[in-house]
């Protein structure tokens, strides 16, 4: 209960931060500002900004001024990917989180442009951290984080996974390809978030490499859990239709390996991720951090 | 003739640079690599990378290692905007530069993702300049250029203009709105290119502000000349259908102010831009630079 309350408060803080990062709805181009706001402020777990923040704190980071631009940026990138994903040419979804999707409200042209705008504005927002860097040392952390932010959502990360997923829609997916999609489409932004948090806090290269590995395992556990919940949960708990994978004859971790193995894999990946966090050198009482509790909650969530 | 030969050679060098900046067409996600290459390597005047390079040289820049990533990046951004512009929900164009558009070749879903991929990869590519920075002073130039690269193509730049243009398609456009569209949709990337060149060469803030102003005027002259050519040129010379503005009942500089005024405005804007270049303090023999000749050619071009 303590944890859930803290999570609620931290999530509310992210909402405030996102609201402030958005442009006011005025000027010739105000429609695009409205479309950006409509999708970015549509709720959600805010996992990625929370992962940036809590990984930053995990490594002893305190000053929030360089971190907040990246927290806003990663959520903008996640949101743009959802907007484009929902377009008629892709998943053709009319609703997301119980609200009409961007192209249903603003039209298809504006939906495409709203996605473009959020992706571009993510980099514009993150680049503001350059001005917030107090000294050369912090500037060096910021530019490393900018490199991560530009790489992980791209063709060797999220978009790369998305492309393969789109190409194989309605087809049977081989094991190595499903793993590739999981690692890139879901995993890359989780890796980005945790790496950026670590980089901004001044973690050294070997620590960042370890965090990337932990984030990889968390991403896998998270996505496999998603596949499990689609089978076992109910619409009331999950807040979205269940059994959608079965209906779409989609290859999932559960269809490939069975429910028992899927559950064992969630446990295996979580344990490996937790072991990395617990064993991180130079971090005091890792098990007492909010990051640790957050990831445990994330992986074993029922919604 | 000397100039045209030099331009041809410099353009060829940009082609080589773009080719090298693209990923090899292999791996699970190779379709997106092919789609990126198809559109980026489709030719064109390569204005924006050339403007970066020549403005860099104008201010005495020599080392190309930090400049080339930005040259590739700006052309990726220009190309993504064309791919999305051509989509059925926007201009619905089947051909560009005599070749089928991205969505006609790769399908609409992949066309959307190819645009996303190029926009994201532009920032990933430009961020490589961070590693190419030889010392702290150069790093500071690179981060300023990154800020420009993330701002000018965005909602306060190119996308902002594009949104207003899309919203007003088929409607009469008031004078101040047409100017806004010209300044943002066309002007912003020209401003970005020249500012980035100046910033990377170590121009000071007042020089960069002057170059932004010159680039603004060049953008205006360039776009007004575009409107003029749509009336006066022929398909053979222009390489694309003429009189398209009239057919689409589009508000242009010519419909608003008449041909005579439009021609006078091209002259006025060019003269002001040239005056800024010629008067730039600390630049030796500005009139002898390739940049000067290039911009003169650009504004008075017949195609």
């Amino acid at each position: 209960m303590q944890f859930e309350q803290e999570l609620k408060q931290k999530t509310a803080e992210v909402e405030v931060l996102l609201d402030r990062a958005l442009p006011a709805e005025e000027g010739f181009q105000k429609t695009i500002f409205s479309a950006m706001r409509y999708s970015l402020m549509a709720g959600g777990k805010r996992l990625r900004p929370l992962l940036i923040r809590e990984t930053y704190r995990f490594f002893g980071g305190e000053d929030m001024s360089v971190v907040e631009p990246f927290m806003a940026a990663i959520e903008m990138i996640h949101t743009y990917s959802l907007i484009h994903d929902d377009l008629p040419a892709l998943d053709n979804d009319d609703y997301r989180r119980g609200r009409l999707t961007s192209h249903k409200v603003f039209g298809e042209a504006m939906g495409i442009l709203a996605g473009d705008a959020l992706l571009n504005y993510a980099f514009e927002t993150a680049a503001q951290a350059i001005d917030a860097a107090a000294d050369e040392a912090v500037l060096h952390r910021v530019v490393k984080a900018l490199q991560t932010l530009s790489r992980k959502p791209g063709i060797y990360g999220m978009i790369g996974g998305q492309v393969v997923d789109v190409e194989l829609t309605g087809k049977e997916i081989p094991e190595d390809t499903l793993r590739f999609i999981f690692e890139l489409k879901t995993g890359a932004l989780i890796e980005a978030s945790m790496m950026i948090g670590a980089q901004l806090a001044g973690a050294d290269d070997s620590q960042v490499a370890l965090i990337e590995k932990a984030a990889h395992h968390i991403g896998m556990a998270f996505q496999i859990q998603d596949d499990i919940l689609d089978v076992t949960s109910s619409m009331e708990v999950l807040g979205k239709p269940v059994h959608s994978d079965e209906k779409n004859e989609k290859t999932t971790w559960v269809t490939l390996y069975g429910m028992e193995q899927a559950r064992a894999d969630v446990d295996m990946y979580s344990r490996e991720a937790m072991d990395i966090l617990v064993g991180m050198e130079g971090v005091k009482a890792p098990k007492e951090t909010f990051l640790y509790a957050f990831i445990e909650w994330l992986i074993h969530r029922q919604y």
Side-chain angles (χ1 to χ4, degrees), chain A:
Chain A
M1 197 54 201
Q2 172 72 49
F3 167 79
E4 298 259 354
Q5 269 170 353
E6 217 177 321
L7 179 61
K8 210 169 160 182
Q9 197 204 308
K10 282 171 189 283
T11 310
E13 284 166 19
V14 174
E15 298 292 330
V16 172
L17 182 159
L18 293 176
D19 181 72
R20 277 201 206 124
L22 284 167
E25 292 175 66
E26 56 192 28
F28 284 110
Q29 70 275 55
K30 64 172 179 286
T31 308
I32 196 76
F33 297 158
S34 303
M36 290 164 78
R37 180 171 290 275
Y38 178 82
S39 292
L40 190 67
M41 301 313 289
K45 291 193 270 289
R46 310 305 191 187
L47 295 186
R48 293 153 195 84
L50 286 170
L51 280 174
I52 291 184
R53 181 192 169 136
E54 296 310 322
T55 309
Y56 181 70
R57 291 207 178 280
F58 182 80
F59 284 103
E62 284 177 5
D63 170 23
M64 294 307 290
S65 61
V66 292
V67 182
E68 288 183 351
F70 283 94
M71 291 171 65
I74 200 91
E75 194 69 6
M76 289 175 195
I77 291 175
H78 175 57
T79 303
Y80 113 78
S81 79
L82 301 180
I83 295 176
H84 281 188
D85 221 16
D86 289 335
L87 285 168
L90 286 107
D91 285 356
N92 195 20
D93 279 319
D94 291 353
Y95 290 91
R96 178 174 290 273
R97 298 193 184 116
R99 305 168 82 210
L100 285 170
T101 45
S102 180
H103 65 273
K104 295 302 285 183
V105 176
F106 297 95
E108 202 177 332
M110 209 50 73
I112 293 167
L113 291 170
D116 295 349
L118 279 168
L119 174 56
N120 194 117
Y121 200 57
F123 293 110
E124 186 172 344
T125 301
Q128 290 168 5
I130 291 166
D131 299 323
D135 55 38
E136 292 296 313
V138 177
L139 180 64
H140 279 268
R141 297 173 187 177
V142 167
V143 298
K144 279 191 181 180
L146 282 174
Q147 288 184 315
T148 303
L149 186 76
S150 64
R151 184 166 180 90
K152 288 286 180 182
I155 49 176
Y156 301 111
M158 186 183 70
I159 295 177
Q162 169 70 346
V163 164
V164 177
D165 197 27
V166 166
E167 280 197 300
L168 293 178
T169 298
K171 294 181 193 149
E172 207 169 312
I173 302 178
E175 289 186 31
D176 61 341
T177 312
L178 190 71
R179 176 179 293 274
F180 177 89
I181 294 170
F182 277 27
E183 286 176 340
L184 272 68
K185 191 179 172 179
T186 310
L189 281 203
I190 292 175
E191 288 166 23
S193 303
M194 296 185 70
M195 288 171 74
I196 287 168
Q199 286 169 323
L200 291 176
D204 63 34
D205 288 350
S206 69
Q207 286 173 317
V208 174
L210 280 171
I211 273 295
E212 182 176 17
K213 207 169 169 182
H216 169 270
H217 299 333
I218 292 162
M220 290 299 292
F222 182 79
Q223 184 58 53
I224 298 170
Q225 180 72 354
D226 223 47
D227 286 357
I228 293 173
L229 289 176
D230 191 73
V231 180
T232 62
S233 191
S234 66
M235 171 117 184
E236 291 71 43
V237 177
L238 211 57
K240 61 179 179 183
V242 290
H243 309 308
S244 66
D245 293 337
E246 197 188 333
K247 258 176 256 157
N248 300 330
E249 294 182 30
K250 213 172 164 181
T251 307
T252 74
W253 208 263
V254 178
T255 64
L256 271 186
Y257 302 106
M259 183 59 82
E260 201 179 333
Q261 182 64 44
R263 285 203 160 116
D265 286 342
V266 169
D267 280 345
M268 187 264 295
Y269 280 119
S270 335
R271 210 166 44 241
E272 289 194 12
M274 294 323 217
D275 284 352
I276 292 173
L277 292 186
V278 171
M280 190 71 70
E281 273 183 50
V283 173
K284 276 180 227 153
K287 279 194 173 185
E288 256 109 275
T289 58
F290 188 82
L291 181 67
Y292 190 88
F294 181 52
I295 288 169
E296 195 143 65
W297 169 82
L298 196 62
I299 293 168
H300 297 292
R301 79 199 191 284
Q302 298 306 316
Y303 58 93

